[in-house]
Amino acid sequence: MTKTAAARATGSAEWAEALLQSFSQAGYVRAEPAILQPADPFLDLSGEDIRKSLYLTTDSSGEELCLRPDLTIPVARDYLASPGAGQPAGFCYLGPVFRQRSGKPSEFLQAGIESFGRQDRAAADAEMLALGLEATSAFGLTEIDIRTGDVALFSALIDALGLYPVWRRRLMKDFNRKISLAQDLERLTLATSSANEYEGVLAALAGSDRKAALALVTDLMSIAGATTLGGRAVSEIADRFLEQSTLKSGALPRDALQKIQRFLAISGDPNDALQQLRALAADAQLAIDAAIDQFESRIGFMAARGIDLAKTRFSTSFGRGVDYYTGFEFELHRAGNGDDPLVAGGRYDGLMSQLGASAPIPAVGFSIWIEAMTQTTVSGGAA
């Protein structure tokens, strides 16, 4: 490492440590989870696509392990293993994470906050955004683009439309990963012009519970003697088969498509977006008022925190590309500068149950990309 690079790294660590002290004063306890983690939670919750970026190994028992690629899941696992699991608790952290990244260092610093167990979701969401903005200010950055969204609104819309469970899953997956949503919407509206030889099976699967359908297809393939095909396990093939049933078992009604497209076109400052959402719900007779009410409550808490709503952009189509987010999502960027966020986070109420919690536990948090903060600060000449 050159002297200049070393100085920047040291400086960024000092800024981050000072920031963590302020988080500690706000009631967030310093967490230091193990660097070596079980790989399954990351693979199960982020999909096999993440495998290519992980540093993997195997222990003597055959369990697959990895160097932690982020700190949210490790902090959550430690919380669930603690005596205070299920009770409100907040944690802050600073430490190295490890990902294979083309043209960038594979080891880099990440800081952040995770808040577990708070039932006042709207207030907790607003607090995360406010603390994220404090982080950018601590690094000397003042001109910040605030980008927000809410996957809970899209989920409520899909539920209100009464779509097949498999269709719902496909659209939620596309939305969360920010790929193929528009393409799938169009494909789902194309009625099949000729009968499919598997039409009966596909239609039955499309209308069934995904877990039961997946088990059925997996069992049938196992009975037939299939173990792998083209390097894919039976479970992966069954999962793909269910996705295909989404596209082949029937057409998405044009009326539903128009409502989804109108929903995804909503954007602006939060108050403007709120009016558009209320209008859509009334015009289209959609039962999404509970999700909109939560959105409106969050706006109130954001304003109470001193967040400038006029400078906050909300879009119903905004998503962070992470499957386990369930509600509020946000990214903070330097104004007019690049796609990589400085701070990013959101609500992930379902994660704790997926990690083994016996009852649902609300959770929200964010990560600070120290590397991006430092680069921005240096290039921008900020103190």
Side-chain angles (χ1 to χ4, degrees), residues 303-326:
R305 284 264 175 187
I307 297 169
D308 190 343
L309 297 178
K311 294 183 178 180
T312 301
R313 179 175 176 79
F314 175 86
S315 173
T316 49
S317 63
F318 175 85
R320 295 219 53 251
V322 180
D323 284 354
Y324 57 70
Y325 280 129
T326 58

Side-chain angles (χ1 to χ4, degrees), residues 205-238:
L205 289 173
S208 66
D209 172 75
R210 178 185 176 271
K211 187 175 181 180
L214 185 60
L216 173 62
V217 176
T218 302
D219 288 347
L220 288 174
M221 293 184 68
S222 298
I223 291 171
T227 55
T228 60
L229 184 63
R232 291 184 177 181
V234 169
S235 59
E236 293 179 81
I237 299 169

Side-chain angles (χ1 to χ4, degrees), residues 98-165:
F98 306 85
R99 297 184 196 177
Q100 299 187 51
R101 306 184 298 167
S102 178
K104 294 183 179 180
S106 297
E107 177 183 348
F108 53 99
L109 283 176
Q110 189 177 83
I113 280 181
E114 310 299 339
S115 175
F116 305 128
R118 286 182 59 173
Q119 298 296 328
D120 54 342
R121 289 172 172 80
D125 290 348
E127 182 171 316
M128 292 302 107
L129 180 54
L131 290 172
L133 287 167
E134 284 185 19
T136 61
S137 179
F139 278 80
L141 306 172
T142 55
E143 295 300 318
I144 298 296
D145 279 338
I146 308 172
R147 308 176 189 178
T148 67
D150 190 343
V151 66
L153 287 167
F154 185 72
S155 179
L157 172 71
I158 299 302
D159 287 344
L161 292 173
L163 302 177
Y164 281 150

Side-chain angles (χ1 to χ4, degrees), residues 175-252:
F175 180 88
N176 286 331
R177 297 188 179 181
K178 298 194 288 189
I179 57 170
S180 306
L181 180 57
Q183 181 182 16
D184 264 2
L185 286 174
E186 289 299 330
R187 293 175 70 187
L188 285 169
T189 60
L190 300 176
T192 52
S193 57
S194 59
N196 187 296
E197 59 181 316
Y198 309 115
E199 184 176 353
V201 176
L202 292 171
L205 289 173
S208 66
D209 172 75
R210 178 185 176 271
K211 187 175 181 180
L214 185 60
L216 173 62
V217 176
T218 302
D219 288 347
L220 288 174
M221 293 184 68
S222 298
I223 291 171
T227 55
T228 60
L229 184 63
R232 291 184 177 181
V234 169
S235 59
E236 293 179 81
I237 299 169
D239 190 59
R240 176 63 176 165
F241 185 82
L242 286 182
E243 287 192 356
Q244 290 304 304
S245 75
T246 298
L247 303 177
K248 294 180 180 177
S249 61
L252 182 67

